[in-house]
Amino acid sequence: MNAQVAVKMKSGPSIMLASGKWFDLLDPWNSDFSIRDIAQGLANICRYSGQCKSFYSVAEHSIHVSDMVEDFKLEALMHDAAEAFLGDITRPLKQLLPQYREIEASVENAIFTRFGLDASSKVEIKAADLRVLAAEQSQVMPAGTDYWAAGSGIQKANIRVEFLSPPVAYDRFMAKYSELTSA
């Protein structure tokens, strides 16, 4: 009897995507994935390790960041795309896992290359991401969680978290992608 598992080894450990394709964590460059695979993952991953008032997807967050930048809107939409394959790991945990950060950077670089994104956008996107983070925290976390923003001069983004369900977040992410790429 041959048991099938959703983890296999090719070049490295691989995961099966909802599309039925395999994503090799150590060889993302040669993995077969699409924007739909990214949208599927981001729409189903909750920010803050789920430690928030209600389900709040990385896809919805990504749309907010894209709406906050003047330039690089597509890059902003895709800034957390690696999380579609790796999950949304909390910043404190990432600091404890240097190999994870290397894997994340490799996956991010493969995605940026695959979609023709401009890596010079990262500084502008990080600033928008922090503004969105400050606004999110005041809406999805306990009162006072966003204290760090005022102390560091970060102005909260003017966004409203809608707590979109995964199917709605998927549809909105794909609509935003289509709007930005005319695809």
Side-chain angles (χ1 to χ4, degrees), residues 17 21-24 27-35 37-38 74 78 85 106-117 177:
L17 305 178
K21 299 173 186 172
W22 286 95
F23 186 87
D24 188 323
D27 189 14
W29 303 90
N30 292 307
S31 294
D32 184 18
F33 63 90
S34 70
I35 189 61
D37 295 312
I38 291 170
L74 181 58
M78 301 288 283
F85 309 118
S106 176
V107 171
E108 183 178 277
N109 290 336
I111 290 168
F112 265 58
T113 299
R114 169 101 27 115
F115 290 92
L117 305 175
Y177 178 82

Side-chain angles (χ1 to χ4, degrees), residues 16-77:
M16 181 176 281
L17 305 178
S19 64
K21 299 173 186 172
W22 286 95
F23 186 87
D24 188 323
L25 297 169
L26 297 181
D27 189 14
W29 303 90
N30 292 307
S31 294
D32 184 18
F33 63 90
S34 70
I35 189 61
R36 293 187 182 286
D37 295 312
I38 291 170
Q40 175 71 20
L42 297 182
N44 283 288
I45 295 171
C46 188
R47 299 243 321 138
Y48 306 103
S49 292
Q51 299 301 313
C52 47
K53 292 178 183 177
S54 189
F55 180 83
Y56 176 54
S57 74
V58 176
E60 184 177 349
H61 162 79
S62 298
I63 293 165
H64 289 308
V65 175
S66 180
D67 289 342
M68 291 307 306
V69 295
E70 291 296 319
D71 300 312
F72 306 117
K73 288 188 174 291
L74 181 58
E75 286 82 355
L77 182 68

